[in-house]
Amino acid sequence: MKIVFTSCMDAERVADQPIWKRIAEHEQPDVLMLLGDQIYMDWGLGAGATDWRSLIAAKPAAGLTAYAADMHRRYALQWDVASFRELVCGFAGRADRARLLLTWDDHDYAWNNSLGVDGLDGLDGAGEAYRHGVPARVKAVSRRLFAQFEHQLRTASVGDAYPALPAGWDGPLPAGTADLFWSGALGGLQGPPCLLLDTRWHRQARAVGASILGADQAHALLGAAGEPGAGLLLVAAGTPMAHRYLLSQQGWHAEGGPSYVEFDGTLRAARRPVLFIGGDVHGNAWSGRLPCADGTPSRVVQALSSGAAIGRYGPKRFAPSYGAITVPDTWRTGGAVQLQLWAQSREGSWEPDPPVPALPFDANDWTQPLHAQAQSRVEAAADDQPVAMLAARTRTGAYRGKTAVSLPQGLDDLNAVYLEQPLQDGHYAEPLHWHVAPDGAAFLHGEADLGRPDDWPAATRRLVQSAFDRALEQPGTTSVVLFIHGFGKSPALGLAQAYGLRATYPGCEPILYEWEAGRGGGVLAVLGGVPRARQGAEGGAFALATVLHAFNLVAALPAYAGLAKVVLARSAGCLALHHALDRMGVGGQRLGHVDRIVLSAPMLKAFEYRRQAGLGGLDVPVVMTRNRHDQTLRFADWFDGVGALLGLDETFVPARQSHACVDFSESAGVGSLHDYLLLRINPQQHRLQEQLLCQREFAWSDAVGGGLVSPGDAGVFHVP
């Protein structure tokens, strides 16, 4: 019997998922296990858990509605991945819970590090139980929408659309509906026994004596593992029993802190060979025998595989990964389990990563010491080129006055460098280079002497020019893009988007304008993000104006005549650009050496655009994108009061002949997305945006002739 298992997929950021075709063609499994994080409700949002909880607590009806709509949308996106749909629909045993096994983990159960308890004793927002606890009404919504996704996987045809949000999505669960626990024989009556555990529904805040499984699951696990001489037992769950990845919240075991009671209890109780299968760690790993609390080896061996389709975070690439297990028919008496952990290299080949020896066993135990352990090879950074960054933020005390900063954990450490407060009016953005070493450690190098602000205008020009020089040196790079990120972005997320821009459109070299516009993400960041973005845009107008001036000066140099020069403003970044242009004063030639400005999903009021004949009367071609179904902009429009947002405005009229609107509302796969810039959604969408960002010469007649757009009202083009 062959068992394939994997976890962690995010169709919002990774629409092309080659892993499913690989599994269908190369493995042809008898049993398929999807072990959690089928969607990512808050991937990359940092404080996403707190945001969802705060939103629902502050606005129970609207917050829960937004939560349900966003979760449903993400499940629909995963179903829309053609290779995933084809694998599942072509899997002969998908209707049988003994052959297609599904569970969840934190990101499809609720939010990062989520618990099964609400933690009502922490109403002041302090403590793990409050911050990560999931209220009963949220659990009910998650359970109902997970059931809808599972039903679709088990019953739908490959050409079926994903169903609408189910009626009664916010009602109480039917009696008896609770966790996702299942036990039985894999693949039929003669298959090996397996327990599929739910490690979220009952999870308590980590403390001495805390449980991760609840009474019924724990009783079943300890009972099955404790059957002496019963042969091989498989146990599957979304959360690893032991791993150094985010152990404080994720694993059953915690080094230097209390483990969940089921961890050592299972290891001590086992009287037969137990193979534990899990995910969550965004890579592959196997443990050998897990050690008991007293250091003696147990009869439990662990194998982990995840990162099926989650792409990258800044310079770090998460390789598509899965595990394949072959179990002999003699599982009752003995044999050898063959375990292969596979990962896809950057070049596209599938490799054993890491290689795992055969795991021999008899009815009572593994018959080899199996003390070794290994995990995925650490790859060099997927992007080892520096990124130019202009930080319009205020440094924290610990990092103030330093021109060079070492950040061992890379992007994850960057948020600690800057306070959550906008730069004050009249201050320059700090010119910086960001470098990543092969081991993932990162360094910030300042271009200016932090003690001499008068040097910053010249340092800003030097930094901008370094990006232009890098563009000339890199084969295939054709443009330099000044990127102004949107609202709800921490410093780490802003920089991650700059890396994403270079990865999605390899022809462009980004310069990041990094500013404080609230932190969070998605529809959640709107609550605090819109007013914070307006505050940051107004206060930072001087800083961005000096950056725009430097960009225009360098763009005018003859050495860079062959490069496209583009200013790209995302979401609320359009508001920052608007205020900066106001600060620069009236005059069409202020950015006269820029080839075009792209306003992506602009969170800018239409009347603000029309004022002064559109972006202050610039004689620069301006392209703005529109998606009438954009869920985030709709929420922002509702929250922010009177006046239509430009990214939704159906009555767009170009303020100047060189301005145009590109409508993605009916473009295949865009749906209610807010970020349809950094994703490869469909060929027309990707190719059009690639041309706008990477080509010096661009003509709408060519885009129409090439089938990328069709003309609509004056100045409006529609992407199919």
Side-chain angles (χ1 to χ4, degrees):
M1 173 182 293
K2 178 174 282 190
I3 303 162
V4 165
F5 68 102
T6 190
S7 62
C8 303
M9 60 209 76
D10 185 0
E12 184 170 56
R13 290 166 177 80
V14 187
D16 180 27
Q17 301 181 3
I19 188 171
W20 312 118
K21 184 176 181 181
R22 159 75 181 192
I23 291 172
E25 294 180 352
H26 188 266
E27 302 296 349
Q28 300 177 345
D30 302 296
V31 174
L32 178 62
M33 295 182 177
L34 302 178
L35 298 181
D37 293 342
Q38 274 73 229
I39 59 172
Y40 272 77
M41 286 295 289
D42 58 353
W43 169 240
L45 302 187
T50 303
D51 285 343
W52 273 123
R53 174 152 192 142
S54 298
L55 174 61
I56 294 168
K59 298 179 177 293
L64 200 62
T65 298
Y67 177 83
D70 199 36
M71 177 171 276
H72 177 267
R73 176 184 66 84
R74 292 171 188 270
Y75 277 129
L77 286 174
Q78 185 57 42
W79 173 254
D80 284 344
V81 175
S83 57
F84 176 75
R85 200 168 59 243
E86 289 163 3
L87 168 66
V88 172
C89 292
F91 183 56
R94 65 181 176 136
D96 186 352
R97 292 195 69 191
R99 297 191 65 189
L100 176 61
L101 283 73
L102 291 90
T103 191
W104 53 20
D105 200 27
D106 47 350
H107 297 289
D108 45 357
Y109 165 68
W111 43 68
N112 191 41
N113 297 337
S114 45
L115 302 171
V117 295
D118 193 8
L120 296 176
D121 57 339
L123 294 179
D124 60 352
E128 181 185 337
Y130 178 83
R131 287 182 288 110
H132 303 296
V134 181
R137 61 188 183 278
V138 178
K139 291 174 68 172
V141 170
S142 299
R143 184 67 178 86
R144 195 180 295 276
L145 295 186
F146 184 90
Q148 181 185 47
F149 180 69
E150 181 175 2
H151 183 265
Q152 184 79 354
L153 266 55
R154 295 195 187 281
T155 63
S157 299
V158 70
D160 289 350
Y162 198 74
L165 191 69
W169 60 266
D170 56 345
L173 291 174
T177 304
D179 60 48
L180 303 176
F181 175 66
W182 173 87
S183 66
L186 287 179
L189 295 178
Q190 301 305 311
C194 177
L195 278 68
L196 179 67
L197 303 176
D198 183 339
T199 55
R200 290 294 166 184
W201 191 266
H202 304 281
R203 180 184 290 235
Q204 298 173 341
R206 191 182 294 280
V208 175
S211 172
I212 194 174
L213 299 179
D216 292 343
Q217 286 192 115
H219 178 77
L221 174 60
L222 295 177
E227 285 191 56
L232 182 67
L233 172 67
L234 286 91
V235 179
T239 305
M241 292 189 75
H243 195 269
R244 286 187 172 88
Y245 180 83
L246 298 179
L247 272 180
S248 63
Q249 297 293 342
Q250 305 293 9
W252 301 24
H253 169 61
E255 294 182 0
S259 297
Y260 287 109
V261 294
E262 293 89 350
F263 177 71
D264 198 55
T266 302
L267 302 188
R268 287 186 289 104
R271 294 294 180 268
R272 63 195 295 185
V274 177
L275 179 60
F276 180 89
I277 306 164
D280 181 69
V281 300
H282 297 175
N284 293 330
W286 80 282
S287 69
R289 295 173 182 262
L290 293 175
C292 297
D294 61 4
T296 59
S298 73
R299 305 186 196 196
V300 179
V301 170
Q302 175 181 257
L304 308 174
S305 186
S306 67
I310 53 175
R312 56 193 293 153
Y313 176 48
K316 182 174 178 58
R317 170 183 178 268
F318 297 101
S321 303
Y322 72 91
I325 301 168
T326 302
V327 176
D329 294 338
T330 56
W331 57 266
R332 292 182 181 84
T333 57
V337 172
Q338 304 296 327
L339 170 63
Q340 292 178 302
L341 299 173
W342 295 96
Q344 189 180 38
S345 70
R346 287 194 295 270
E347 292 73 28
S349 62
W350 288 89
E351 302 175 3
D353 184 28
V356 181
L359 307 175
F361 66 95
D362 60 22
N364 298 285
D365 198 356
W366 304 101
T367 57
Q368 294 292 328
L370 300 179
H371 293 322
Q373 54 184 307
Q375 59 190 50
S376 300
R377 295 186 301 274
V378 177
E379 297 188 55
D383 187 337
D384 57 3
Q385 291 297 307
V387 173
M389 181 171 73
L390 291 138
R393 298 182 186 262
T394 304
R395 286 215 190 187
T396 61
Y399 294 98
R400 197 167 294 141
K402 296 182 178 180
T403 55
V405 176
S406 175
L407 301 172
Q409 301 302 315
L411 281 180
D412 293 335
D413 286 343
L414 182 59
N415 293 342
V417 178
Y418 295 99
L419 297 169
E420 292 190 43
Q421 63 185 49
L423 194 68
Q424 297 300 307
D425 187 28
H427 289 244
Y428 292 97
E430 181 185 350
L432 297 160
H433 270 117
W434 172 269
H435 301 261
V436 179
D439 63 359
F443 305 88
L444 280 176
H445 293 284
E447 275 286 335
D449 182 345
L450 295 185
R452 296 176 51 209
D454 292 343
D455 183 49
W456 285 16
T460 297
R461 289 194 295 274
R462 291 197 302 270
L463 183 81
V464 169
Q465 190 160 353
S466 72
F468 277 80
D469 290 338
R470 192 158 47 250
L472 291 180
E473 295 167 359
Q474 296 299 314
T477 301
T478 57
S479 71
V480 179
V481 176
L482 175 59
F483 174 47
I484 308 165
H485 69 70
F487 78 121
K489 295 294 181 289
S490 67
L493 290 177
L495 188 54
Q497 281 202 321
Y499 277 111
L501 188 66
R502 191 152 64 186
T504 306
Y505 306 104
C508 81
E509 174 62 32
I511 301 172
L512 173 65
Y513 177 73
E514 172 44 44
W515 62 300
E516 182 63 54
R519 305 193 187 188
V523 297
L524 307 174
V526 176
L527 288 177
V530 171
R532 178 64 65 87
R534 290 196 174 277
Q535 181 185 4
E538 293 171 6
F542 172 81
L544 181 52
T546 61
V547 170
L548 291 167
H549 180 66
F551 187 78
N552 190 55
L553 286 178
V554 175
L557 297 177
Y560 310 122
L563 294 172
K565 299 92 177 178
V566 179
V567 174
L568 168 64
R570 268 280 306 153
S571 186
C574 302
L575 188 62
L577 177 62
H578 165 75
H579 283 285
L581 291 173
D582 268 0
R583 187 63 175 263
M584 293 176 77
V586 178
Q589 293 301 315
R590 284 165 294 158
L591 296 179
H593 300 288
V594 170
D595 291 302
R596 75 186 60 88
I597 295 173
V598 178
L599 308 181
S600 174
M603 189 176 288
L604 178 68
K605 295 292 186 182
F607 72 80
E608 291 175 311
Y609 160 72
R610 289 191 292 267
R611 192 175 68 185
Q612 294 184 357
L615 293 183
L618 286 175
D619 288 335
V620 176
V622 176
V623 179
M624 55 208 70
T625 72
R626 178 174 73 189
N627 175 15
R628 298 190 308 275
H629 314 298
D630 185 325
Q631 184 182 35
T632 300
L633 286 190
R634 284 188 173 277
F635 198 76
D637 200 27
W638 167 81
F639 177 81
D640 202 31
V642 180
L645 290 173
L646 196 58
L648 297 171
D649 188 11
E650 299 187 39
T651 61
F652 170 81
V653 176
R656 301 178 71 85
Q657 189 174 0
S658 59
H659 293 196
C661 173
V662 184
D663 193 329
F664 287 87
S665 301
E666 308 307 324
S667 185
V670 171
S672 61
L673 287 175
H674 179 55
D675 183 3
Y676 42 90
L677 172 75
L678 297 177
L679 307 174
R680 295 174 181 261
I681 299 173
N682 63 61
Q684 291 85 359
Q685 164 263 347
H686 179 73
R687 182 61 181 149
L688 175 65
Q689 295 188 133
E690 183 178 47
Q691 290 184 8
L692 290 172
L693 297 178
C694 299
Q695 289 187 185
R696 192 166 186 273
E697 302 294 333
F698 177 85
W700 288 108
S701 57
D702 293 339
V704 172
L708 301 183
V709 297
S710 60
D713 298 333
V716 178
F717 298 89
H718 298 273
V719 184

